[in-house]
């Protein structure tokens, strides 16, 4: 065992103990975070406008600060982008994480000197929890790759801006610099396909032990590695034993990945976003991700089926229940207040507070009142392929409201690696799984309002071609699992 792996185990134990100190006091931890946020921001423009000086409780906060998304905060953010100080948070942000908006064009999410360390520490601590639990630390001696956006930053009114992953790349600890790949030159390539090809060439003969990224884009990297080497990724990288991912559920990709790798590897799930690093998988034995209650973020939760109601109740951490779909609302030390990030979560443990990401509040199908969410379609697909050799590259679901004949239906657009031998049986399995999960959907099938799901096969690389066509190939971009319209699926190439 190397000195580096011994040191990693010692450090992992220390961080685990430090984490447990707040894990066992979740309500008190969130109370302290809340009070600190209000105190730090009470003299900002937002603090004056919302009477922070008089806020003593979370109930006061809920009365004074309405729920907003980016559009709702845009008048404040625009002032920050223009260079004004003390608007949402004290002083100016250090960076803007630039993301794509659907209605507002580019979105500029502030990152402050207080918020950035939590982004860095959370990713590190996820790995350290894995080391502490499993005792596996040999991977620290190998090479590690993080498929991410370009670290090249622009500047706007004296504030640097770029993709979150590119900004974070500037904060990689020195002890990881020698192990980190790809090179800066390769990482700065803007075109995704060119970049992946360069990464393949650069890493092919390296001792890769950790690989990290969004599954759909890591899959592209693995496929190109396999094409070049003519053998599974696990044989090319014999010491590759840890996959770190975030952004989407890994389960639909798992069978395909195990085939590409040629064996099973451990994995760690992360829940990062430009707005904050919210959770990470802290155990290989337990499901879900540990919600980070001490990370400069105050959390509120609104039941998703009540979200559209005026004055919907906002729950704090001590009030949440298991297996309820909540819209995640955050207030942060980067100056986002009562902010709806668009994700929905469910708690699968309350001791400690562990969550799964169940979908997006805007990504659902309720064309007929069924309100199907992302978690349900992912679970249904996973159940349908259990015990088969079916492998999925990518998928999305949309309603067909006006079919040429027959009843309306949910149409599943799937790019297969290995196709089902009997498409009708496969579609029936999906439909059965959906009916078990969603009683509204079941009622619509029973009442002959809907017919069972229709599976439409997408041409090979059809989803990549679609993402390329809209300028969102690679990086942090993801295909929505489902939507209430056919804007995406109408552009997909069928087999």
């Amino acid at each position: 065992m190397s000195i580096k792996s011994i040191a990693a185990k010692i450090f992992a134990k220390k961080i685990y103990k430090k984490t447990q100190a707040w894990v066992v006091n979740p309500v008190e931890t969130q109370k302290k975070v809340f009070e600190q946020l209000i105190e730090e921001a009470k003299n900002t423009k937002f603090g004056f406008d919302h009477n922070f000086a008089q806020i003593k409780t979370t109930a006061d906060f809920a009365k004074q600060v309405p729920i907003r998304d980016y559009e709702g905060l845009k008048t404040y953010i625009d002032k920050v982008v223009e260079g004004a100080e003390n608007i949402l948070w004290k002083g100016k942000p250090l960076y803007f994480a630039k993301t794509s908006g659907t209605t507002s064009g580019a979105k500029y999410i502030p990152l402050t000197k207080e918020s950035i360390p939590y982004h860095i520490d959370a990713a590190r601590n996820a790995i350290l929890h894995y080391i502490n639990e499993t005792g596996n630390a040999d991977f620290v001696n190998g090479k590690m790759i993080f498929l991410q956006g370009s670290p090249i930053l622009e500047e706007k009114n004296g504030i640097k801006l770029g993709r979150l992953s590119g900004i974070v790349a500037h904060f990689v600890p020195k002890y990881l610099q020698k192990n980190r790949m790809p090179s800066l030159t390769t990482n700065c390539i803007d075109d995704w396909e060119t970049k992946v090809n360069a990464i393949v060439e650069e890493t092919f003969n390296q001792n890769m032990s950790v690989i990290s990224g969004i599954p759909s884009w890591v899959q592209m990297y693995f496929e190109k590695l396999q094409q070049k080497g003519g053998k599974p990724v696990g044989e090319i990288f014999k010491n590759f034993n840890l996959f770190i991912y975030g952004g989407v559920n890994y389960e639909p990709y798992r069978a395909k990945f195990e085939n590409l790798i040629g064996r099973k590897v451990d994995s760690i799930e992360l829940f990062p976003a430009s707005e904050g690093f919210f959770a990470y998988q802290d155990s290989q034995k337990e499901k879900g991700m540990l919600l980070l209650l001490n990370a400069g973020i105050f959390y509120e939760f609104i039941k998703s089926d009540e979200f559209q109601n005026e004055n919907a109740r906002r729950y704090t951490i001590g009030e949440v229940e298991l297996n309820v779909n909540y819209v995640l609302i955050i207030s942060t030390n980067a100056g986002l207040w009562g902010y709806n990030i668009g994700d929905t979560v469910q708690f699968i443990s309350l001791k400690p507070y562990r969550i799964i990401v169940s979908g997006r509040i805007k990504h659902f199908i309720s064309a007929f009142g069924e309100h199907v969410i992302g978690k349900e379609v992912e679970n249904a697909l996973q159940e349908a392929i259990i015990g088969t050799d079916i492998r999925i590259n990518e998928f999305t679901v949309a309603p067909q409201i006006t079919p040429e004949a027959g009843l309306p239906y949910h149409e599943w657009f799937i790019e297969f690696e290995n196709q089902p031998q009997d498409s009708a049986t496969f579609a029936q399995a999906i439909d059965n799984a959906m009916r078990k999960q969603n009683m509204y959907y079941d009622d619509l099938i029973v009442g002959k309002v809907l017919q069972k799901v229709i599976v439409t096969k997408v041409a090979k690389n059809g989803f990549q071609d679609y993402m390329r066509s809209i300028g969102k190939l690679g990086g942090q971009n993801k295909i929505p699992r489902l939507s209430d319209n056919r804007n995406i699926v109408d552009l997909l190439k069928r087999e």
Side-chain angles (χ1 to χ4, degrees), residues 121-148:
D121 290 351
R124 177 203 68 188
N125 291 352
I127 298 174
L128 291 173
H129 272 73
Y130 170 82
I131 292 174
N132 184 71
E133 182 184 59
T134 66
N136 299 333
D138 289 343
F139 65 84
V140 302
N141 300 303
K143 297 288 187 178
M144 306 178 187
I145 188 168
F146 302 90
L147 294 177
Q148 57 192 187

Side-chain angles (χ1 to χ4, degrees), residues 133 281 283-287:
E133 182 184 59
Q281 182 181 348
S283 174
Q284 295 290 301
K285 300 173 184 177
E286 303 293 337
K287 293 182 178 180

Side-chain angles (χ1 to χ4, degrees), residues 65-79:
V65 180
I67 301 300
R68 294 178 169 98
D69 56 12
Y70 186 85
E71 287 297 316
L73 275 183
K74 194 171 184 297
T75 54
Y76 290 98
I77 293 175
D78 284 348
K79 290 182 172 63

